Amino acid sequence: MNKAYITFAVVLALYAIAVRSDITPAEQCPGQHFDGLEERIQVVPCSKSRCKLRKGTNTTVIFKFKTDSVVNKLTNDVYAIISGVPLPFIGVSGVSACPHVQRADSGAPAPCPLEPHQEYIYTNQFPILSFYPPVPLRVHWSLNNGTADIVCFEVPAVITKA
Ligand SMILES: *[C@@H]1O[C@H](CO)[C@@H](O)[C@H](O)[C@H]1NC(C)=O
Ligand SMILES: *[C@@H]1O[C@H](CO)[C@@H](O)[C@H](O)[C@H]1NC(C)=O
């Protein structure tokens, strides 16, 4: 194979990765590090630079996670950061995450306690209410076991008109 052909193939492959439509620009929460956020996290609808949260629609959040220890209690800690100020999303923040967890292998519901080293899938939906301000923000999403975050990520987003 000649060099030009290989270069062309590599460029095509990179382009295919770049335009993958299901990619979510998930970033680390300040001071924390969780591996593989971009592969594990999906916020819908989202583009590769930021998620568009349209008023009057639901935003869906899906991600895979594992824990190192038994988890008896898991709480959604979810809020929007607007100009540095945290504002909770109504209906998700502070409530139990346990009803939103399934086993990754079978898809069966996985009520807490969760077992260590088992892969789980978390799915949730939240409404973008009409009075939310139409501004750029960061979505902060974490699952907290009472003392620490089991997973945490932030996504750049914007609230748009209905
Ligand atoms: C948003 O989700 C809620 C709860 O799952 C559902 O009742 C509602 O119909 C959904 N709204 C839209 C616009 O899809
Ligand atoms: C929460 O998770 C952290 C990190 O995995 C662990 O060290 C801690 O013991 C857990 N706390 C509870 C209450 O399970």
Side-chain angles (χ1 to χ4, degrees):
M1 248 190 281
N2 74 43
K3 252 191 192 145
Y5 181 82
I6 293 169
T7 307
F8 180 68
V10 168
V11 168
L12 260 190
L14 289 176
Y15 183 73
I17 292 166
V19 299
R20 237 186 68 191
S21 59
D22 61 349
I23 204 152
T24 295
E27 295 167 10
Q28 301 290 343
C29 295
Q32 305 209 60
H33 182 88
F34 293 96
D35 287 333
L37 286 185
E38 285 221 347
E39 291 84 69
R40 288 198 281 147
I41 287 154
Q42 236 185 304
V43 177
V44 183
C46 212
S47 70
K48 55 182 202 298
S49 59
R50 63 183 180 179
C51 301
K52 285 209 174 78
L53 316 181
R54 200 157 67 87
K55 292 183 184 190
T57 69
N58 285 328
T59 295
T60 303
V61 174
I62 302 170
F63 57 83
K64 288 188 185 157
F65 70 102
K66 282 182 187 177
T67 75
D68 293 334
S69 48
V70 173
V71 172
N72 294 304
K73 183 180 148 210
L74 200 58
T75 306
N76 291 312
D77 190 15
V78 178
Y79 49 88
I81 305 167
I82 300 175
S83 307
V85 180
L87 290 174
F89 281 113
I90 293 165
V92 272
S93 217
V95 304
S96 175
C98 299
H100 298 282
V101 179
Q102 292 164 291
R103 291 177 65 103
D105 53 5
S106 63
C112 296
L114 303 180
E115 300 157 28
H117 313 300
Q118 168 72 43
E119 186 142 65
Y120 292 105
I121 297 183
Y122 173 95
T123 313
N124 203 349
Q125 248 193 357
F126 64 98
I128 308 306
L129 301 177
S130 58
F131 66 85
Y132 289 168
V135 293
L137 52 93
R138 285 175 77 78
V139 175
H140 176 103
W141 201 289
S142 79
L143 303 185
N144 193 287
N145 70 359
T147 56
D149 287 344
I150 296 302
V151 62
C152 187
F153 62 90
E154 292 189 353
V155 177
V158 63
I159 291 176
T160 63
K161 281 187 277 189

